[in-house]
Amino acid sequence: MDKYYSENWYQATDSFLKNASNFADVKMCVAGGNKFIVPYVMIGSGPNKVVINSGVHGIEGYLGSAAQNMFLDRFAKTLTPEFCKKYTICLVHVINGWGMQNRMREVQDKKNGGLVDLNRNFGVDFSNPDALPQNPKYELAHDLLLSKPDAKLKKEKIIEFRKRHLKDGAWDAISFGQYKHPYGLFYGGAEQMPENQMTLTIYDDIMQGAKSLISIGMHTGLGRFDRKRGQVTGQLLVSHPEQHKNTQYFSNMLPSTTVVADNRAENGPVLLGDLVDCLEMRYSAPELPVYTADFEIGTGEFPIMSPIYKRMDMGDARYDLLNYGNISAQTLQNLTESWYPSDKGWRDAALLRAYVLFSELLQNLK
Ligand SMILES: [Zn+2]
């Protein structure tokens, strides 16, 4: 399994180009002098499109790219001509190349400042800054999260905050997205980012003549990996409640994958500006069903501490950036372990999760 992983974005992109060109012409998307191109490949010619994208969150692209290279190596050659008449399998390789290269989830917005979470930037109307989505509950946590790094005291305070705000929704709201603090957590940006533009350009190309769309984003990371207590989990996150037809669709199609519904999404999307909801709004029509989800491979499974560390590490990184101009080696290492553990056991098991997902998906599409 090791051979599918890369050391950096350049190597990952080379491998993808080499492997993908065995099956079809690889297309490239470039935007505004961005040196991190987004290559994508379409295998087959069917009107039912199945897209696997990776690296919307840069550092998570290490697993995503490895999974796509594994797909090309192990699954692409098994697709029959009949299958390819019905379906087109599309792989979109590492949407946030800068983040992957710099081991960050986000991308730096050089023009407006801040660290932008691309998965809070999709389909947001930035034309009127006063009308941007609001997340007032995030405000309660902002100062604490961005306070001076302190492994003991800050952790205690975040634990305390979680206890106090678990029921009023403020703890959850931290990750929903916000448009007020460029260096806050889960910041959605001040304008559409080039990477978001590229992604939608690629999907528009893929969707020409489409009769249906299944789109799955590869993600990792739930907090620092713990060699002893850590577990590699694989969950397909659907942004709809349990009884929704999309949740049911995935549950039926992927019986051995854990499909997690979002029961908070009774009246619409919970996350602001995420790709899965944006794709649904952009393409779905009565005669064109759209099923979107994110496959989240876990890095930590001690349920209370993982999300606490994760938020603390993200806040520490921002404190470092704002006060010293760069992220300390220790913080960067913590961030890496939260989203792309160095542990070989994790890396093997994570790819195995992707393997199971892909084989089940292909089996049930036939
Ligand atoms: Zn992610």
Side-chain angles (χ1 to χ4, degrees):
M1 290 287 197
D2 244 16
K3 65 171 174 172
Y4 299 119
Y5 283 103
S6 303
E7 294 294 318
N8 53 52
W9 176 85
Y10 295 95
Q11 201 190 340
T13 304
D14 271 356
S15 304
F16 181 79
L17 295 178
K18 217 178 284 162
N19 293 333
S21 60
N22 290 326
F23 300 98
D25 287 340
V26 183
K27 295 189 169 187
M28 316 269 187
C29 195
V30 198
N34 194 329
K35 68 175 172 177
F36 297 100
I37 55 154
V38 179
Y40 63 108
V41 70
M42 301 189 228
I43 306 169
S45 56
N48 300 296
K49 316 285 180 170
V50 181
V51 186
I52 308 288
N53 72 65
S54 71
V56 166
H57 291 136
I59 186 163
E60 302 170 25
Y62 284 96
L63 179 274
S65 170
Q68 289 174 326
N69 279 315
M70 177 183 69
F71 183 92
L72 290 165
D73 191 32
R74 309 280 279 268
F75 292 96
K77 59 185 172 220
T78 69
L79 305 174
T80 63
E82 298 79 58
F83 181 92
C84 291
K85 246 182 244 160
K86 214 169 155 192
Y87 296 100
T88 306
I89 303 271
C90 314
L91 305 177
V92 183
H93 186 257
V94 186
I95 289 162
N96 180 4
W98 183 91
M100 181 174 178
Q101 187 63 20
N102 291 284
R103 309 216 157 201
M104 297 285 289
R105 266 178 100 246
E106 303 81 4
V107 69
Q108 215 167 24
D109 185 346
K110 290 209 182 94
K111 191 173 141 206
N112 304 294
L115 288 174
V116 179
D117 183 332
L118 298 179
N119 211 29
R120 303 292 180 276
N121 185 275
F122 283 104
V124 176
D125 178 7
F126 290 100
S127 63
N128 178 6
D130 295 328
L132 281 166
Q134 302 289 311
N135 182 356
K137 285 184 179 168
Y138 168 82
E139 302 299 318
L140 298 172
H142 177 78
D143 289 345
L144 169 59
L145 292 168
L146 264 75
S147 62
K148 195 173 161 61
D150 182 317
K152 247 184 134 169
L153 192 66
K154 187 167 172 180
K155 188 173 82 188
E156 289 308 316
K157 284 187 181 162
I158 297 177
I159 292 172
E160 187 54 40
F161 181 92
R162 179 186 170 275
K163 252 187 230 155
R164 207 165 348 121
H165 293 289
L166 205 52
K167 286 215 176 89
D168 68 16
W171 175 252
D172 270 359
I174 294 172
S175 63
F176 289 176
Q178 52 86 20
Y179 302 87
K180 224 172 141 178
H181 304 278
Y183 285 93
L185 273 60
F186 302 95
Y187 173 59
E191 61 179 21
Q192 189 185 40
M193 297 296 286
E195 291 81 2
N196 295 74
Q197 225 172 325
M198 287 194 276
T199 307
L200 296 178
T201 304
I202 292 170
Y203 270 90
D204 283 350
D205 183 25
I206 291 170
M207 290 303 284
Q208 287 182 60
K211 284 194 177 147
S212 71
L213 169 66
I214 297 171
S215 172
I216 297 176
M218 302 299 291
H219 288 258
T220 58
L222 292 174
R224 282 185 213 172
F225 184 68
D226 182 305
R227 257 167 243 266
K228 283 204 190 94
R229 290 178 291 177
Q231 268 182 43
V232 183
T233 52
Q235 301 184 325
L236 192 85
L237 309 180
V238 182
S239 72
H240 290 290
E242 228 159 282
Q243 66 280 10
H244 193 278
K245 64 172 175 44
N246 287 27
T247 315
Q248 299 293 327
Y249 177 80
F250 280 118
S251 297
N252 293 333
M253 172 142 80
L254 306 167
S256 54
T257 296
T258 310
V259 175
V260 181
D262 191 343
N263 289 325
R264 302 167 303 187
E266 289 285 356
N267 306 308
V270 171
L271 295 188
L272 304 167
D274 67 323
L275 178 60
V276 294
D277 291 312
C278 174
L279 293 174
E280 214 181 301
M281 283 183 258
R282 196 175 178 92
Y283 303 113
S284 97
E287 67 287 0
L288 201 167
V290 172
Y291 303 100
T292 60
D294 283 329
F295 192 60
E296 177 83 57
I297 293 178
T299 50
E301 199 46 48
F302 37 126
I304 295 175
M305 285 317 292
S306 294
I308 286 168
Y309 277 127
K310 173 169 146 175
R311 283 161 180 73
M312 185 167 85
D313 295 341
M314 289 168 88
D316 286 356
R318 284 152 176 82
Y319 180 93
D320 287 357
L321 266 181
L322 289 169
N323 290 280
Y324 316 122
N326 55 42
I327 299 170
S328 79
Q330 181 61 57
T331 303
L332 197 61
Q333 155 128 31
N334 291 341
L335 282 173
T336 302
E337 289 300 315
S338 279
W339 278 280
Y340 180 49
S342 51
D343 187 75
K344 194 184 168 310
W346 181 84
R347 291 189 183 176
D348 285 348
L351 264 188
L352 194 61
R353 292 277 172 186
Y355 186 93
V356 172
L357 175 81
F358 294 155
S359 30
E360 204 164 44
L361 184 71
L362 291 181
Q363 221 159 43
N364 290 303
L365 284 176
K366 275 170 193 166

